[in-house]
Protein backbone atom coordinates (compact mmCIF):
# COMPACT_ATOMS: atom_id res chain seq x y z
CA UNK A 1 0.00 0.00 0.00
CA UNK A 2 1.21 3.49 -0.87
CA UNK A 3 2.14 5.92 1.89
CA UNK A 4 2.02 9.70 1.75
CA UNK A 5 5.31 11.27 2.75
CA UNK A 6 4.89 14.59 4.50
CA UNK A 7 7.76 16.97 5.34
CA UNK A 8 7.52 19.36 8.27
CA UNK A 9 9.94 21.63 10.13
CA UNK A 10 11.86 19.58 12.71
CA UNK A 11 11.87 22.25 15.37
CA UNK A 12 10.76 25.81 15.02
CA UNK A 13 7.84 28.16 14.85
CA UNK A 14 5.75 25.89 12.60
CA UNK A 15 6.33 22.49 14.20
CA UNK A 16 3.82 22.37 17.03
CA UNK A 17 0.93 23.95 15.14
CA UNK A 18 1.48 21.71 12.10
CA UNK A 19 1.48 18.57 14.25
CA UNK A 20 -1.70 19.76 15.94
CA UNK A 21 -3.51 20.32 12.64
CA UNK A 22 -2.39 16.93 11.33
CA UNK A 23 -3.69 15.36 14.52
CA UNK A 24 -7.03 17.17 14.13
CA UNK A 25 -7.12 15.66 10.63
CA UNK A 26 -6.76 12.19 12.14
CA UNK A 27 -3.02 11.80 11.54
CA UNK A 28 -1.25 11.16 14.84
CA UNK A 29 2.45 10.47 14.55
CA UNK A 30 4.70 8.70 17.02
CA UNK A 31 7.61 11.08 17.25
CA UNK A 32 10.74 9.87 18.98
CA UNK A 33 13.43 12.30 20.02
CA UNK A 34 16.17 12.82 17.41
CA UNK A 35 14.51 10.50 14.89
CA UNK A 36 13.82 12.08 11.53
CA UNK A 37 11.00 9.76 10.46
CA UNK A 38 7.72 9.17 12.23
CA UNK A 39 5.01 6.70 11.32
CA UNK A 40 1.30 6.98 11.75
CA UNK A 41 -0.98 4.20 12.97
CA UNK A 42 -4.21 5.85 11.90
CA UNK A 43 -3.37 6.81 8.30
CA UNK A 44 -1.03 5.57 5.54
CA UNK A 45 1.40 8.44 5.98
CA UNK A 46 4.97 8.98 7.04
CA UNK A 47 6.38 12.18 8.49
CA UNK A 48 9.84 13.54 7.71
CA UNK A 49 11.16 16.00 10.27
CA UNK A 50 13.73 18.18 8.53
CA UNK A 51 15.17 21.70 8.47
CA UNK A 52 12.59 24.02 6.96
CA UNK A 53 15.17 25.31 4.47
CA UNK A 54 15.49 21.79 3.03
CA UNK A 55 11.76 21.23 2.52
CA UNK A 56 11.52 22.90 -0.94
CA UNK A 57 14.29 20.62 -2.28
CA UNK A 58 12.64 17.46 -0.92
CA UNK A 59 9.36 18.51 -2.50
CA UNK A 60 10.96 19.50 -5.79
CA UNK A 61 12.71 16.16 -6.27
CA UNK A 62 9.78 14.06 -5.08
CA UNK A 63 11.42 12.72 -1.88
CA UNK A 64 8.29 13.98 -0.14
CA UNK A 65 4.78 14.27 -1.56
CA UNK A 66 3.62 17.10 0.67
CA UNK A 67 5.34 19.72 2.77
CA UNK A 68 4.33 22.32 5.32
CA UNK A 69 6.69 25.23 4.97
CA UNK A 70 6.88 28.99 5.45
CA UNK A 71 6.08 30.88 2.26
CA UNK A 72 9.27 32.88 2.96
CA UNK A 73 11.43 29.76 2.65
CA UNK A 74 9.62 28.62 -0.48
CA UNK A 75 9.92 32.03 -2.09
CA UNK A 76 13.62 32.27 -1.28
CA UNK A 77 14.62 28.76 -2.33
CA UNK A 78 12.38 28.23 -5.33
CA UNK A 79 10.46 31.14 -6.70
CA UNK A 80 13.26 33.66 -6.52
CA UNK A 81 15.94 31.15 -7.39
CA UNK A 82 15.70 29.00 -10.46
CA UNK A 83 17.46 26.23 -8.58
CA UNK A 84 15.08 23.47 -9.49
CA UNK A 85 13.51 24.90 -12.63
CA UNK A 86 10.25 23.74 -11.20
CA UNK A 87 7.09 25.22 -9.94
CA UNK A 88 6.08 24.01 -6.53
CA UNK A 89 2.34 24.46 -6.26
CA UNK A 90 0.92 25.87 -3.05
CA UNK A 91 -2.23 23.85 -2.45
CA UNK A 92 -3.35 25.52 0.76
CA UNK A 93 -2.51 28.65 2.71
CA UNK A 94 -2.62 27.45 6.29
CA UNK A 95 -3.45 30.69 8.09
CA UNK A 96 -0.84 30.21 10.85
CA UNK A 97 2.88 30.84 11.20
CA UNK A 98 2.29 34.42 10.09
CA UNK A 99 5.44 36.52 10.08
CA UNK A 100 7.21 39.17 8.06
CA UNK A 101 10.65 39.52 6.55
CA UNK A 102 11.96 42.85 7.72
CA UNK A 103 14.98 45.10 7.65
CA UNK A 104 16.29 46.03 11.09
CA UNK A 105 19.06 48.28 12.36
CA UNK A 106 20.66 48.95 15.78
CA UNK A 107 17.99 50.68 17.88
CA UNK A 108 20.06 53.78 18.67
CA UNK A 109 20.51 54.63 14.97
CA UNK A 110 18.28 57.10 13.15
CA UNK A 111 16.23 56.00 10.19
CA UNK A 112 14.58 58.11 7.53
CA UNK A 113 13.95 56.05 4.44
CA UNK A 114 14.96 52.97 2.54
CA UNK A 115 17.69 55.09 0.90
CA UNK A 116 19.55 54.93 4.24
CA UNK A 117 20.62 51.42 3.21
CA UNK A 118 22.65 52.77 0.27
CA UNK A 119 26.19 51.35 0.48
CA UNK A 120 25.40 49.30 3.58
CA UNK A 121 26.01 45.62 4.28
CA UNK A 122 22.91 43.63 5.26
CA UNK A 123 23.17 40.16 6.80
CA UNK A 124 20.37 37.77 5.85
CA UNK A 125 19.35 34.17 5.20
CA UNK A 126 17.12 35.50 2.41
CA UNK A 127 19.50 37.07 -0.14
CA UNK A 128 17.24 36.42 -3.13
CA UNK A 129 14.17 38.11 -1.69
CA UNK A 130 16.31 40.92 -0.28
CA UNK A 131 18.18 41.59 -3.53
CA UNK A 132 14.91 41.69 -5.45
CA UNK A 133 13.54 44.20 -2.99
CA UNK A 134 16.68 46.39 -3.06
CA UNK A 135 16.62 46.37 -6.84
CA UNK A 136 12.98 47.44 -6.94
CA UNK A 137 13.82 50.36 -4.64
CA UNK A 138 17.00 51.20 -6.60
CA UNK A 139 19.15 50.88 -3.50
CA UNK A 140 22.71 49.60 -3.82
CA UNK A 141 23.47 47.54 -0.73
CA UNK A 142 25.34 44.31 -0.17
CA UNK A 143 23.41 41.26 1.03
CA UNK A 144 25.65 38.91 3.02
CA UNK A 145 24.39 35.36 3.39
CA UNK A 146 24.31 34.17 7.00
CA UNK A 147 22.62 30.87 7.88
CA UNK A 148 21.70 31.40 11.51
CA UNK A 149 21.83 33.93 14.36
CA UNK A 150 21.61 36.77 11.86
CA UNK A 151 20.61 39.17 14.66
CA UNK A 152 24.06 39.14 16.22
CA UNK A 153 25.91 40.38 13.11
CA UNK A 154 25.61 44.16 13.66
CA UNK A 155 27.20 43.77 17.11
CA UNK A 156 30.03 41.76 15.62
CA UNK A 157 30.54 44.44 12.94
CA UNK A 158 29.90 41.84 10.27
CA UNK A 159 26.99 43.87 8.92
CA UNK A 160 25.36 47.30 9.34
CA UNK A 161 21.83 45.92 9.33
CA UNK A 162 19.92 42.67 9.06
CA UNK A 163 17.02 41.31 7.06
CA UNK A 164 15.30 38.51 8.93
CA UNK A 165 12.00 36.95 9.94
CA UNK A 166 10.07 38.80 12.63
CA UNK A 167 7.12 37.22 14.33
CA UNK A 168 6.64 38.64 17.83
CA UNK A 169 9.65 40.94 17.55
CA UNK A 170 11.18 39.40 20.68
CA UNK A 171 14.39 38.31 18.99
CA UNK A 172 15.05 41.78 17.54
CA UNK A 173 14.42 43.43 20.89
CA UNK A 174 16.68 41.00 22.72
CA UNK A 175 19.48 41.91 20.31
CA UNK A 176 19.09 45.69 20.51
CA UNK A 177 17.65 46.04 17.00
CA UNK A 178 14.62 47.87 15.61
CA UNK A 179 12.47 46.97 12.64
CA UNK A 180 12.45 49.75 10.03
CA UNK A 181 10.89 48.23 6.90
CA UNK A 182 8.84 45.16 6.05
CA UNK A 183 9.70 43.58 2.75
CA UNK A 184 7.67 40.34 2.65
CA UNK A 185 4.67 38.82 4.44
CA UNK A 186 4.55 35.11 5.02
CA UNK A 187 2.53 32.29 6.53
CA UNK A 188 2.71 28.51 6.58
CA UNK A 189 1.66 26.92 3.28
CA UNK A 190 1.01 23.36 2.20
CA UNK A 191 2.92 22.44 -0.96
CA UNK A 192 2.72 19.43 -3.22
CA UNK A 193 5.50 17.75 -5.16
CA UNK A 194 5.41 18.57 -8.88
CA UNK A 195 6.69 15.02 -9.57
CA UNK A 196 4.00 12.69 -10.81
CA UNK A 197 1.82 11.31 -8.06
CA UNK A 198 -0.04 7.98 -8.45
CA UNK A 199 -3.84 7.76 -8.31
CA UNK A 200 -3.79 6.17 -4.88
CA UNK A 201 -1.76 9.05 -3.41
CA UNK A 202 -3.80 11.62 -5.32
CA UNK A 203 -6.91 10.31 -3.57
CA UNK A 204 -5.20 10.52 -0.19
CA UNK A 205 -4.04 14.10 -0.86
CA UNK A 206 -7.56 15.14 -1.85
CA UNK A 207 -8.97 13.54 1.28
CA UNK A 208 -6.35 15.13 3.52
CA UNK A 209 -6.97 18.51 1.90
CA UNK A 210 -10.68 18.21 2.58
CA UNK A 211 -9.94 17.37 6.22
CA UNK A 212 -7.55 20.34 6.52
CA UNK A 213 -10.23 22.61 5.10
CA UNK A 214 -12.64 21.17 7.65
CA UNK A 215 -10.24 21.92 10.50
CA UNK A 216 -9.35 25.41 9.24
CA UNK A 217 -12.91 26.48 8.60
CA UNK A 218 -13.88 25.26 12.08
CA UNK A 219 -11.18 27.40 13.70
CA UNK A 220 -13.18 30.58 14.10
CA UNK A 221 -16.53 28.91 13.78
CA UNK A 222 -18.64 28.76 16.91
CA UNK A 223 -21.73 26.85 17.90
CA UNK A 224 -24.08 29.17 19.78
CA UNK A 225 -27.00 27.93 21.85
CA UNK A 226 -29.57 29.93 23.79
CA UNK A 227 -33.17 30.06 24.83
CA UNK A 228 -35.04 32.98 23.32
CA UNK A 229 -38.38 34.32 22.40
CA UNK A 230 -39.61 33.18 18.95
CA UNK A 231 -40.41 36.77 18.02
CA UNK A 232 -36.75 37.76 18.47
CA UNK A 233 -35.30 35.20 16.04
CA UNK A 234 -34.70 37.65 13.18
CA UNK A 235 -32.96 40.14 15.47
CA UNK A 236 -30.78 37.38 16.93
CA UNK A 237 -29.63 36.36 13.47
CA UNK A 238 -28.68 39.96 12.69
CA UNK A 239 -26.57 40.26 15.84
CA UNK A 240 -24.62 37.04 15.35
CA UNK A 241 -21.70 37.37 12.90
CA UNK A 242 -21.75 35.03 9.92
CA UNK A 243 -24.75 33.15 11.26
CA UNK A 244 -26.27 30.27 9.32
CA UNK A 245 -29.98 29.44 9.41
CA UNK A 246 -30.72 28.50 13.04
CA UNK A 247 -32.22 25.27 14.32
CA UNK A 248 -35.21 26.11 16.46
CA UNK A 249 -36.60 23.61 18.96
CA UNK A 250 -39.57 23.86 21.30
CA UNK A 251 -38.85 24.04 25.00
CA UNK A 252 -40.82 21.92 27.42
CA UNK A 253 -43.26 23.96 29.56
CA UNK A 254 -42.99 27.09 27.42
CA UNK A 255 -45.06 28.33 24.52
CA UNK A 256 -43.16 31.49 23.61
CA UNK A 257 -39.54 30.55 24.31
CA UNK A 258 -37.59 28.22 22.05
CA UNK A 259 -34.11 26.72 22.06
CA UNK A 260 -32.00 28.27 19.28
CA UNK A 261 -28.82 26.66 17.91
CA UNK A 262 -26.74 28.59 15.37
CA UNK A 263 -23.39 28.00 13.67
CA UNK A 264 -21.47 31.29 13.44
CA UNK A 265 -18.61 31.62 10.99
CA UNK A 266 -16.84 34.27 13.03
CA UNK A 267 -15.62 34.85 16.56
CA UNK A 268 -18.42 35.61 19.02
CA UNK A 269 -17.43 38.31 21.51
CA UNK A 270 -18.77 39.13 24.99
CA UNK A 271 -20.40 42.23 23.53
CA UNK A 272 -22.48 40.10 21.16
CA UNK A 273 -23.59 37.88 24.04
CA UNK A 274 -24.62 40.94 26.03
CA UNK A 275 -26.70 42.16 23.10
CA UNK A 276 -28.42 38.76 22.95
CA UNK A 277 -29.18 39.02 26.65
CA UNK A 278 -30.75 42.44 26.07
CA UNK A 279 -33.07 40.75 23.56
CA UNK A 280 -34.23 38.48 26.36
CA UNK A 281 -32.13 35.44 25.49
CA UNK A 282 -31.06 33.24 28.41
CA UNK A 283 -28.63 30.33 28.95
CA UNK A 284 -26.39 31.62 26.16
CA UNK A 285 -23.61 29.15 25.37
CA UNK A 286 -20.77 29.63 22.86
CA UNK A 287 -18.91 26.42 22.00
CA UNK A 288 -15.85 25.85 19.80
CA UNK A 289 -16.32 23.59 16.77
CA UNK A 290 -13.60 21.02 16.19
CA UNK A 291 -14.31 19.97 12.62
CA UNK A 292 -16.72 21.36 10.05
CA UNK A 293 -17.78 20.08 6.63
CA UNK A 294 -20.42 22.13 4.91
C1 LIG B 1 12.90 33.36 12.86
C2 LIG B 1 14.03 34.36 12.95
C3 LIG B 1 14.13 34.71 14.40
C4 LIG B 1 12.74 34.41 14.94
C5 LIG B 1 11.97 35.68 15.15
O1 LIG B 1 13.36 32.07 12.77
O2 LIG B 1 15.24 33.86 12.44
O3 LIG B 1 15.09 33.93 15.05
O4 LIG B 1 12.07 33.58 13.99
O5 LIG B 1 10.81 35.47 15.91
P1 LIG B 1 10.31 36.53 16.97
O6 LIG B 1 10.09 37.83 16.24
O7 LIG B 1 9.01 35.94 17.47
O8 LIG B 1 11.33 36.63 18.04
P2 LIG B 1 12.47 30.88 12.09
O9 LIG B 1 11.44 30.41 13.04
O10 LIG B 1 11.96 31.34 10.77
O11 LIG B 1 13.39 29.65 11.93
P3 LIG B 1 14.87 29.43 11.33
O12 LIG B 1 15.66 29.08 12.54
O13 LIG B 1 14.71 28.31 10.38
O14 LIG B 1 15.27 30.73 10.68
ZN1 LIG C 1 15.25 27.72 8.73
Amino acid sequence: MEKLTIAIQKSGRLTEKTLKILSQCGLDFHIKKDVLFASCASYPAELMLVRDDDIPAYIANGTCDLGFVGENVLEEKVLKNNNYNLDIPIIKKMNYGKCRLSLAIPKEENYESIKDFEGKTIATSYPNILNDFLKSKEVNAKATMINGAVEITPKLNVADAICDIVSTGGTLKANGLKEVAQIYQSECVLVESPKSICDEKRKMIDQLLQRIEGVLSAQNTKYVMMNASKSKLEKIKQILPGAEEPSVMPLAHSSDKVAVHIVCKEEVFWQTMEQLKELGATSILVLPIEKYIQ
Side-chain angles (χ1 to χ4, degrees):
M1 186 175 188
E2 292 283 354
K3 268 188 185 179
L4 269 188
T5 322
I6 306 170
I8 71 162
Q9 186 183 24
K10 184 174 161 11
S11 62
R13 279 178 308 115
L14 304 181
T15 313
E16 200 182 321
K17 188 79 210 228
T18 306
L19 286 172
K20 183 168 175 217
I21 291 211
L22 284 170
S23 165
Q24 287 171 310
C25 290
L27 281 71
D28 285 299
F29 292 93
H30 306 288
I31 296 174
K32 293 189 201 121
K33 203 175 169 279
D34 298 327
V35 178
L36 300 184
F37 280 100
S39 57
C40 180
S42 53
Y43 201 85
E46 195 166 40
L47 202 64
M48 262 183 75
L49 298 121
V50 294
R51 282 193 53 192
D52 60 346
D53 313 62
D54 294 333
I55 293 176
Y58 286 133
I59 294 293
N61 66 24
T63 307
C64 296
D65 305 308
L66 295 176
F68 289 87
V69 67
E71 226 175 338
N72 52 310
V73 172
L74 189 70
E75 178 88 0
E76 175 67 24
K77 303 278 172 195
V78 184
L79 312 180
K80 289 249 187 294
N81 183 353
N82 281 335
N83 246 352
Y84 314 110
N85 266 331
L86 279 172
D87 257 355
I88 293 188
I90 291 177
I91 56 173
K92 189 81 201 159
K93 291 206 168 203
M94 296 300 295
N95 203 31
Y96 64 86
K98 294 205 172 155
C99 61
R100 50 203 189 263
L101 186 61
S102 292
L103 286 160
I105 60 172
K107 69 171 189 300
E108 57 284 353
E109 283 178 18
N110 291 327
Y111 179 77
E112 264 167 33
S113 78
I114 205 73
K115 298 281 176 215
D116 292 7
F117 287 100
E118 188 69 36
K120 296 283 166 68
T121 303
I122 308 169
T124 188
S125 310
Y126 300 87
N128 293 320
I129 301 179
L130 175 60
N131 279 326
D132 248 39
F133 173 80
L134 293 170
K135 209 168 141 197
S136 74
K137 298 287 176 193
E138 298 177 345
V139 172
N140 287 303
K142 186 172 178 262
T144 303
M145 173 67 179
I146 300 277
N147 275 316
V150 172
E151 298 87 356
I152 195 103
T153 53
K155 259 197 202 108
L156 300 178
N157 286 325
V158 172
D160 304 303
I162 68 157
C163 172
D164 200 13
I165 292 299
V166 182
S167 170
T168 60
T171 309
L172 286 187
K173 204 166 173 215
N175 287 282
L177 299 168
K178 66 177 174 193
E179 186 177 5
V180 293
Q182 295 184 15
I183 71 168
Y184 187 80
Q185 303 271 353
S186 171
E187 67 182 276
C188 180
V189 293
L190 175 60
V191 289
E192 183 186 308
S193 176
K195 293 275 155 141
S196 69
I197 282 177
C198 67
D199 288 353
E200 205 177 330
K201 281 190 182 180
R202 166 69 37 221
K203 263 197 186 148
M204 287 193 269
I205 292 176
D206 289 345
Q207 185 186 47
L208 182 59
L209 206 53
Q210 196 184 47
R211 291 188 188 183
I212 288 173
E213 269 155 17
V215 170
L216 293 184
S217 63
Q219 264 171 5
N220 283 324
T221 312
K222 296 283 181 269
Y223 195 74
V224 183
M225 303 196 280
M226 74 198 88
N227 296 337
S229 168
K230 253 190 245 171
S231 59
K232 295 289 186 325
L233 268 179
E234 268 317 303
K235 284 225 164 95
I236 288 173
K237 270 202 289 178
Q238 282 165 14
I239 288 176
L240 285 167
E244 293 193 339
E245 220 27 64
S247 308
V248 178
M249 288 147 282
L251 278 175
H253 315 297
S254 172
S255 56
D256 173 49
K257 275 206 157 183
V258 287
V260 185
H261 291 195
I262 306 188
V263 171
C264 288
K265 296 257 184 63
E266 287 167 43
E267 193 61 77
V268 177
F269 297 102
W270 282 109
Q271 208 184 7
T272 311
M273 294 174 72
E274 285 151 9
Q275 288 172 332
L276 292 170
K277 191 159 183 270
E278 276 165 28
L279 282 177
T282 54
S283 303
I284 309 164
L285 283 180
V286 178
L287 308 172
I289 293 179
E290 198 183 79
K291 304 177 181 80
Y292 181 72
I293 297 185
Q294 203 155 21

